[in-house]
Amino acid sequence: MSPRPDLSWILNDLVTAPHARHAVLLSADGLQVAASEGVNRDLADKVSALASGVQALSRNGAEFVGSGDTPWQQTMVSYKGGFLFVIAAAQGSFLAASAGSEVDISAYGYRMTKAVERLGAELAVAPRQRA
């Protein structure tokens, strides 16, 4: 198995947006794949577990939102001090990012989408193999 490319550069670029704070790329099963500068391993692990749960719960709401095939794309959680965004990245991966309460939500969501598009298949995470 070849080593994964270093994807932290795209996450570091993402958090240069006004009021952006952190970004973590995670696998569908909640493991950190890459993180922006300033995100230590403990924080990345917590965010990965949280974001994995958020996206799983959000996927289960598809039937409530629409009929037929309604795939989950993004979830935003609002806090008094800011926002948590979780967006589908590629097969088996998700992008979680945080920003302060003054962030332009639409612009930041768009920037996240563009980051995912730029990396494309680089973001794909294969399922873990059982030992």
Side-chain angles (χ1 to χ4, degrees):
M1 174 185 276
S2 62
R4 289 196 58 79
D6 180 11
L7 302 175
S8 60
W9 67 271
I10 190 70
L11 303 179
N12 289 332
D13 183 56
L14 183 62
V15 298
T16 63
H19 308 289
R21 292 186 176 148
H22 304 295
V24 176
L25 176 65
L26 62 138
S27 64
D29 55 358
L31 297 177
Q32 174 205 348
V33 175
S36 62
E37 205 170 293
V39 176
N40 65 35
R41 184 70 181 187
D42 287 342
L43 179 58
D45 287 346
K46 287 177 190 176
V47 169
S48 295
L50 168 74
S52 180
V54 165
Q55 66 81 22
L57 289 170
S58 296
R59 283 178 185 277
N60 286 315
E63 183 179 350
F64 183 71
V65 173
S67 60
D69 185 28
T70 306
W72 169 82
Q73 295 177 332
Q74 179 178 349
T75 300
M76 181 186 75
V77 181
S78 176
Y79 299 88
K80 185 176 183 179
F83 301 93
L84 167 68
F85 302 86
V86 182
I87 185 171
Q91 183 64 37
S93 68
F94 307 96
L95 178 60
S98 66
S101 59
E102 296 175 357
V103 71
D104 180 332
I105 293 169
S106 296
Y108 197 55
Y110 178 78
R111 189 169 179 153
M112 289 178 68
T113 300
K114 286 301 178 189
V116 166
E117 287 175 3
R118 276 195 342 226
L119 286 176
E122 291 282 335
L123 292 173
V125 176
R128 284 188 282 173
Q129 301 295 317
R130 294 193 182 258

